[in-house]
Amino acid sequence: MAFWLDLMFGNPIGLLSMIVIFTTIGIMSYLMWLFISKSKPE
C-alpha cells in the first residue's frame, strides 16, 4: 500500500500513469457494457 501511495503522490509521472490506467479501465468497461447491452436479444 505504501508503494502505491508513493507511486501516486510521490511523483507527477506516477500520478499521471495511474490516471491513464484507471481512465482506460473505465472506458473499456463502458464499451463492454455498451456491447453487451446492444447485443442482447430484444
Side-chain angles (χ1 to χ4, degrees):
M1 189 67 187
F3 170 71
W4 289 105
L5 285 175
D6 183 51
L7 195 63
M8 285 201 301
F9 304 113
N11 48 358
I13 290 125
L15 180 63
L16 197 66
S17 66
M18 295 299 285
I19 289 170
V20 167
I21 288 167
F22 286 126
T23 306
T24 306
I25 290 171
I27 290 171
M28 287 304 294
S29 60
Y30 173 71
L31 287 175
M32 286 301 293
W33 174 79
L34 207 66
F35 178 73
I36 289 168
S37 64
K38 292 287 184 185
S39 64
K40 271 193 297 195
E42 291 295 328

